[in-house]
């Protein structure tokens, strides 16, 4: 039997220079991905005493490597450096490519799974063991370890105050957004990574906990190939992973490789990556639902100009959430309104410039008054019957296929209308819909201009930071990829522990749901290892 | 004064007939880059352009992109040079997958010939600045998804790099990062600068 390669140092996050070409590392559980799913399942498994190796294809960027510079940090933290879009070029895909995943650049909004989603997943999609009784203990533990609490008044920047005030006068229901922070310095640089380790991302919470309990984390290490065998029992058995060592300076594989031998493999690459990884292994024919039923909370934005200073890029992004229209409303099966969560928006200057429409002097007018620019965002709850798909193109690249169905277009348009109403009620003197068309309104009386809005690729500037599905959970192998134990159908010891298992959109920020699901996944993996 | 856009059916016919030209041009450009599909290999092509050494864009594309940037940001030539827009976009394109960089280069090629398809008598980069800006404004109302996606993608990228540069902070009144600390160059940024033989910025070099 081949000898395991020993690392030269312990108790650190390993990087490209630490690996030997051709090495073999052994473990009980290999977790691919270090975001909310991977880090949490690893932490729980080390709580149970199991040996874990975490793999991360991106680099390791702790606070000492952060400089809050918008472009520099996008290059370090964002998948595809923030330049990847959906198939039609109209929707910017936001995900992590670093130790800690998207939690390093996220807003730290920490919502429990909405009850109607839990019910739907149980009753309509046949998901077992992920009901309120199973999730609540996980939520309690996670909220405690991440210091989740409702945003206090001192964390309301001017845009948040205006949105809260506008809700009061409009009679729209809102709430203080639950936050995962400790000693926040109100820098406004959540999306550039928290220099102060105040935001409770995975790199300051579950990852250190897992490492303290013996886990090893290999960064600059891309899982290239699943090593597996077919068994007499007809279930496939994962034996480990072949790993490419990344040359971080070139952002390409270095040509060097190593292998990991594991008793269990857990896929936690996130909603944009996990199903794609399985497709790259050639498993689409065995798993017909692979890549399908994909959601991503497409989010429209509206920018607004005020008389006074807003300085939206300081303090926390979203202290106030507007849930008045979170659920879609129908009248005699006809869509009326709703289906999104509204929030104040927070962008730094470069992203603001990119999403403020217009050319030349029209655009410059807004940029000259940037400190007075506020705005909002509407996180759309994807329509279950109009979900997208992750595909693999003929050149081997990933394609995020997300056409906007008829109901989706109506929801997106209504989300923009409500944002316009909200911004004018907040005191805006001018409102601009983010998108090439650049529809601009000077008063609420011009709202009928939105009837002509082009809800198509590039017509709107949208971002999608909450991918889900692609490895849908369910009991029917024709309609799902994993069972309720997070086990891939037809596999003995291959699990998925991230948002790709969601049967439909989580509606709200999915980070807490991902972590709670990972608690359950860890329990199932523990049972498997105990057999 | 710019021509009005052609009726949709005629536009699509013209687009289809010029599509062959655009594809051929794009293929020629890409072939000269010596990149393999999906992953860029170690054989590095370096373009000697009027913007310095570039790794992804040749002189023609770099100039086209600069002419587009001029129309986008309504600022002086020197401001765009100072913000290193072309160099920064080239740098970002170098590090993303070929899938993304190829798409962007193709979008540039399409952009160059789009005014011809719309009845203008000039390629985009050859139009006077005012006409370029007016034509782009007229394209804001397009209902053709491909055109919309091409212009949006190029516009967003230019805006990101221009306004992400420190030199534009005075324009916008942005007071800089909260910590006011110097930039920490990643190993990728240092690699790009060494490949393009740029002088190192006076920035903190520690870290990765």
């Amino acid at each position: 039997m081949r000898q395991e390669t020993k690392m030269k140092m312990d108790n650190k996050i390993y990087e490209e220079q630490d690996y030997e070409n051709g090495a073999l590392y052994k473990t009980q559980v290999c977790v691919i991905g270090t975001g909310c799913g991977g880090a949490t399942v690893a932490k729980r498994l080390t709580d149970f005493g199991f040996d874990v190796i975490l793999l991360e294809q991106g680099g390791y960027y702790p606070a000492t490597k952060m400089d809050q510079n918008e472009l520099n940090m996008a290059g370090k933290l964002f998948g595809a450096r923030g330049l990847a879009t959906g198939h039609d070029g109209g929707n910017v895909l936001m995900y992590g490519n670093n130790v800690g995943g998207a939690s390093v650049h996220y807003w730290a909004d920490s919502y429990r799974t909405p009850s109607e989603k839990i019910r739907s997943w149980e009753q309509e999609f046949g998901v077992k063991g992920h009901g309120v009784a199973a999730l609540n203990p996980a939520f309690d533990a996670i909220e405690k370890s991440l210091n989740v609490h409702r945003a206090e008044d001192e964390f309301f920047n001017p845009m948040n105050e205006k949105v809260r005030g506008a809700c009061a006068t409009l009679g729209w229901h809102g709430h203080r957004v639950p936050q995962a922070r400790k000693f926040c310095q109100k820098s406004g640089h959540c999306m550039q990574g928290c220099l102060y380790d105040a935001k409770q991302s995975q790199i300051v919470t579950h990852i250190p906990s897992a490492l303290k309990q013996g886990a090893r984390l290999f960064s600059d290490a891309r899982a290239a190939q699943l090593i597996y065998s077919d068994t007499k029992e007809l279930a496939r058995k994962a034996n480990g992973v072949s790993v490419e060592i990344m040359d971080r300076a070139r952002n390409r594989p270095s040509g060097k490789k190593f292998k990991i031998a594991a008793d269990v493999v857990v896929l936690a690459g996130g909603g944009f990556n996990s199903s794609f990884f399985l497709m790259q292994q050639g498993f689409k024919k065995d798993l017909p639902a692979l890549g399908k039923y994909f959601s991503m909370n497409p989010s429209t934005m509206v920018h607004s100009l005020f008389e006074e200073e807003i300085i939206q890029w300081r303090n926390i992004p979203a202290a106030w959430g507007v849930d008045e229209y979170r659920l879609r409303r129908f009248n005699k099966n006809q869509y009326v309104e709703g289906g999104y969560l509204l929030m104040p928006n927070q962008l730094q200057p470069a992203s603001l410039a990119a999403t403020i429409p217009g050319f030349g002097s029209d655009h410059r007018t807004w940029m000259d008054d940037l400190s007075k620019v506020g705005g909002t965002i509407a996180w759309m709850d994807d329509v279950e019957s109009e979900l997208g798909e992750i595909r693999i193109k003929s050149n081997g690249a990933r394609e995020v296929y997300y056409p906007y169905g008829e109901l989706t277009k109506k929801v997106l348009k209504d989300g923009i209308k409500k944002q316009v109403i909200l911004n004018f009620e907040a005191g805006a003197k001018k409102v601009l819909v983010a998108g090439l068309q650049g529809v601009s309104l000077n008063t609420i009386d011009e709202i009928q201009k939105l009837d002509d809005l082009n809800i198509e690729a590039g017509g709107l500037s949208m971002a999608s930071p909450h991918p889900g599905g692609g490895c849908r959970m369910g009991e029917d192998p024709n309609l799902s990829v994993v069972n309720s134990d997070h086990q891939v159908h037809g596999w003995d010891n291959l699990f998925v522990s991230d948002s790709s298992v969601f049967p439909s959109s989580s509606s709200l920020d999915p980070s807490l749901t991902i972590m709670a699901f990972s608690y359950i996944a860890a329990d199932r993996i523990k049972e498997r290892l105990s057999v | 004064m710019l021509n009005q856009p052609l009726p949709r059916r005629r536009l699509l016919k013209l687009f289809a007939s010029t599509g062959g030209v655009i594809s051929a041009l794009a293929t020629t450009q890409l072939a000269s880059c010596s990149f393999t599909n999906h992953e860029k290999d170690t054989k590095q092509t370096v373009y000697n352009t009027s913007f310095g050494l570039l790794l992804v864009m040749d002189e023609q594309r770099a100039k086209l992109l600069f002419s587009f940037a001029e129309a986008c940001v309504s600022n002086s030539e020197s401001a765009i040079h100072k913000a290193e827009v072309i160099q920064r976009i080239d740098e970002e394109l170098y590090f993303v997958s070929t899938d993304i960089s190829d798409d962007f280069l193709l979008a540039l090629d399409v952009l160059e010939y789009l005014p011809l398809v719309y009845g203008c008598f000039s390629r985009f980069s050859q139009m006077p600045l005012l006409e370029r800006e007016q034509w782009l404004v007229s394209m804001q109302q397009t209902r053709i998804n491909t055109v919309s996606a091409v212009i949006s993608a190029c516009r967003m990228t230019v805006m990101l790099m221009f306004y992400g540069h420190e030199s534009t902070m005075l324009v916008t009144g942005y007071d800089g990062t909260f910590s006011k600390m110097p930039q920490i160059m990643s190993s990728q940024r240092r690699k790009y600068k060494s490949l393009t033989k740029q002088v190192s910025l006076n920035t903190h070099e520690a870290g990765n």
Side-chain angles (χ1 to χ4, degrees):
Chain A
M1 185 182 294
R2 188 166 162 201
Q3 287 272 20
E4 180 183 4
T5 311
K6 295 290 180 197
M7 302 304 290
K8 292 189 175 67
M9 290 174 69
D10 291 329
N11 299 322
K12 58 168 280 188
I13 290 178
Y14 300 106
E15 298 173 275
E16 55 179 315
Q17 66 275 11
D18 297 318
Y19 312 123
E20 285 179 36
N21 188 27
L24 172 67
Y25 304 104
K26 292 183 180 176
T27 186
Q28 287 178 291
V29 184
C30 176
V31 178
I32 301 172
T34 60
C36 286
T40 305
V41 78
K43 184 258 185 213
R44 286 296 288 160
L45 289 169
T46 57
D47 287 344
F48 298 144
F50 293 115
D51 186 71
V52 176
I53 285 178
L54 287 136
L55 288 179
E56 171 54 55
Q57 67 178 3
Y60 175 44
Y61 298 103
T64 50
K65 294 179 183 175
M66 294 177 185
D67 62 7
Q68 297 179 334
N69 178 283
E70 202 178 345
L71 296 184
N72 287 350
M73 293 314 302
K76 292 174 187 174
L77 303 180
F78 281 67
R81 308 169 80 84
L83 297 178
T85 65
H87 78 285
D88 57 10
N91 213 321
V92 176
L93 310 178
M94 301 183 66
Y95 57 104
N97 189 54
N98 54 280
V99 173
S103 76
V104 179
H105 73 247
Y106 83 152
W107 283 7
D109 304 343
S110 302
Y111 289 102
R112 294 194 175 199
T113 322
S115 54
E116 87 279 354
K117 289 290 177 182
I118 298 175
R119 235 179 355 260
S120 162
W121 291 348
E122 283 181 315
Q123 293 169 9
E124 292 172 42
F125 298 98
V127 171
K128 300 188 183 74
H130 290 71
V132 169
L135 290 171
N136 274 354
F139 284 138
D140 290 342
I142 294 163
E143 286 171 351
K144 189 176 176 188
S145 65
L146 268 59
N147 196 45
V148 173
H149 59 282
R150 297 277 170 175
E152 293 126 336
D153 283 349
E154 64 176 288
F155 293 102
F156 278 66
N157 66 14
M159 195 62 213
N160 275 275
E161 287 289 6
K162 285 184 177 300
V163 168
R164 178 164 58 169
C167 280
T169 54
L170 286 168
W172 289 4
H173 192 267
H175 58 271
R176 293 172 185 264
V177 178
Q179 305 283 320
R181 298 171 193 283
K182 205 183 278 187
F183 308 121
C184 176
Q185 301 298 301
K186 306 172 191 164
S187 72
H189 287 290
C190 282
M191 289 182 69
Q192 287 75 51
C194 185
L195 187 60
Y196 312 101
D197 285 344
K199 186 172 69 176
Q200 300 297 284
S201 73
Q202 299 300 301
I203 55 170
V204 300
T205 54
H206 292 158
I207 289 174
S209 295
L211 295 180
K212 200 172 170 185
Q213 297 181 133
R216 288 167 282 171
L217 198 159
F218 297 168
S219 68
D220 302 321
R222 178 195 284 180
Q225 207 161 4
L226 199 56
I227 304 167
Y228 65 94
S229 48
D230 290 306
T231 67
K232 286 179 187 169
E233 292 75 27
L234 299 179
R236 278 194 172 137
K237 186 175 184 305
N239 299 315
V241 185
S242 172
V243 181
E244 291 174 323
I245 302 170
M246 298 299 287
D247 174 351
R248 200 187 311 173
R250 290 173 54 244
N251 200 30
R252 294 138 171 72
S254 64
K256 297 179 186 171
K257 297 181 181 183
F258 62 81
K259 284 185 183 171
I260 293 180
D263 299 325
V264 164
V265 174
V266 183
L267 199 44
F272 287 120
N273 292 326
S274 284
S275 58
F276 179 60
F277 176 78
L278 292 176
M279 279 183 220
Q280 286 178 306
Q281 310 305 309
F283 299 149
K284 174 75 176 173
K285 58 184 184 309
D286 303 314
L287 297 164
L290 193 57
K292 290 186 174 176
Y293 314 114
F294 176 76
S295 59
M296 58 182 188
N297 287 169
S299 304
T300 57
M301 294 176 224
V302 153
H303 300 292
S304 47
L305 191 61
F306 293 85
E307 288 288 351
E308 65 277 32
E309 286 203 325
I310 301 295
I311 311 180
Q312 65 166 276
W313 53 80
R314 291 286 178 250
N315 213 326
I316 73 175
W320 188 257
V322 185
D323 52 71
E324 176 73 25
Y325 297 101
R326 193 177 67 75
L327 300 176
R328 289 187 290 273
R329 297 173 189 173
F330 294 85
N331 183 15
K332 294 176 184 161
N333 294 326
Q334 294 298 309
Y335 173 75
V336 176
E337 60 187 351
Y340 40 80
L341 179 76
L342 298 174
M343 279 184 160
N345 201 2
Q346 181 178 68
L347 294 169
Q348 297 283 321
S351 304
L352 265 171
T355 54
I356 289 174
F359 298 93
S361 50
D362 286 346
H363 186 268
R364 180 69 190 265
T365 303
W366 283 75
M367 296 310 295
D368 285 346
D369 262 335
L370 207 61
S371 62
K372 297 179 181 176
V373 173
T376 52
I377 192 161
W379 307 113
M380 197 198 93
D381 182 14
D382 305 63
V383 177
E384 288 87 357
S385 56
E386 297 178 355
L387 296 177
E389 188 173 349
I390 301 281
R391 294 174 173 175
I392 188 164
K393 296 200 278 191
S394 56
N395 64 359
R398 180 194 64 199
E399 179 181 62
V400 175
Y401 179 70
Y402 197 101
Y404 304 124
E406 287 311 306
L407 180 53
T408 298
K409 287 183 194 177
K410 287 177 184 172
V411 175
L412 288 171
K413 189 176 273 193
D414 189 64
I416 292 169
K417 277 189 176 169
K418 296 298 196 290
Q419 288 183 76
V420 166
I421 293 169
L422 188 61
N423 277 273
F424 275 121
E425 188 66 27
K429 60 179 187 179
K430 194 166 190 164
V431 170
L432 191 55
V433 177
L436 182 67
Q437 231 177 323
V439 174
S440 170
L441 300 92
N442 294 309
T443 71
I444 191 64
D445 298 330
E446 294 179 355
I447 199 163
Q448 74 282 354
K449 280 185 181 181
L450 300 179
D451 294 338
D452 226 15
L453 206 52
N454 181 20
I455 310 286
E456 293 292 352
L460 294 177
S461 292
M462 288 200 274
S464 288
H466 304 152
C471 295
R472 175 190 260 189
M473 185 178 283
E475 298 307 310
D476 183 349
N478 290 313
L479 297 174
S480 59
V481 174
V482 304
N483 60 25
S484 297
D485 292 339
H486 290 256
Q487 212 172 8
V488 177
H489 291 303
W491 286 75
D492 172 51
N493 60 345
L494 178 63
F495 294 80
V496 182
S497 182
D498 61 29
S499 60
S500 67
V501 305
F502 292 172
S504 64
S505 161
S506 59
S507 174
L508 303 168
D509 181 290
S511 53
L512 232 65
T513 303
I514 295 169
M515 288 185 254
F517 267 46
S518 298
Y519 263 57
I520 297 168
D523 287 340
R524 301 289 89 80
I525 294 165
K526 176 188 172 190
E527 287 163 10
R528 167 61 186 77
L529 284 169
S530 304
V531 166
Chain B
M1 182 153 172
L2 293 175
N3 291 324
Q4 293 297 311
L6 294 170
R8 187 186 170 91
R9 193 181 298 171
R10 180 123 182 256
L11 169 67
L12 288 172
K13 277 189 179 173
L14 269 177
F15 207 70
S17 64
T18 54
V21 172
I22 292 170
S23 289
L25 177 69
T27 306
T28 307
Q29 296 285 1
L30 292 173
S32 71
C33 291
S34 305
F35 291 145
T36 56
N37 211 9
H38 192 54
E39 294 283 4
K40 298 186 181 86
D41 63 15
T42 53
K43 190 177 176 181
Q44 184 58 59
T45 300
V46 181
Y47 297 101
N48 194 355
T49 75
S50 49
F51 302 93
L53 298 180
L54 300 178
L55 303 181
V56 179
M57 289 185 285
D58 60 13
E59 176 75 7
Q60 185 178 346
R61 279 200 179 110
K63 276 189 162 167
L64 163 60
L65 186 57
F66 188 86
S67 70
F68 179 75
E70 278 185 307
C72 281
V73 301
S74 183
N75 224 306
S76 66
E77 245 185 72
S78 61
I80 299 171
H81 277 297
K82 197 172 176 187
E84 301 171 297
V85 172
I86 306 306
Q87 295 90 326
R88 193 64 191 259
I89 292 176
D90 189 75
E91 181 180 332
E92 296 297 319
L93 291 176
Y94 178 72
F95 288 111
V96 295
S97 67
T98 47
D99 209 51
I100 295 174
S101 56
D102 287 354
D103 272 355
F104 187 83
L105 294 176
L106 192 56
L108 280 182
D109 294 337
V110 169
L111 175 67
E112 175 74 324
Y113 290 93
L114 262 179
L116 291 169
V117 175
Y118 274 85
C120 298
F121 294 106
S122 177
R123 289 180 288 139
F124 183 83
S125 62
Q126 305 303 307
M127 292 160 79
L129 176 58
L130 183 60
E131 282 185 31
R132 273 181 260 149
E133 192 178 315
Q134 287 175 339
W135 181 81
L136 287 172
V137 169
S138 74
M139 286 295 104
Q140 283 185 263
Q141 306 311 317
T142 183
R143 293 289 174 155
I144 299 178
N145 295 349
T146 308
V147 173
S148 176
V150 160
I151 295 176
S152 283
C154 294
R155 194 197 77 92
M156 286 185 80
T157 310
V158 162
M159 295 298 190
L160 266 175
M161 306 310 162
F162 183 75
Y163 286 103
H165 194 272
E166 284 177 331
S167 64
T168 58
M169 283 183 193
L170 279 175
V171 168
T172 60
Y174 178 59
D175 55 347
T177 61
F178 186 76
S179 63
K180 302 288 187 284
M181 58 187 290
Q183 292 186 43
I184 300 178
M185 300 287 271
S186 65
S187 58
Q188 290 172 12
R189 296 217 69 203
R190 295 198 300 274
K191 183 71 177 179
Y192 180 83
K193 288 188 186 309
S194 82
L195 287 173
T196 54
K197 296 180 176 41
Q198 290 180 48
V199 175
S200 287
L201 297 175
N202 184 23
T203 55
H204 181 55
E205 291 280 341
N208 204 17

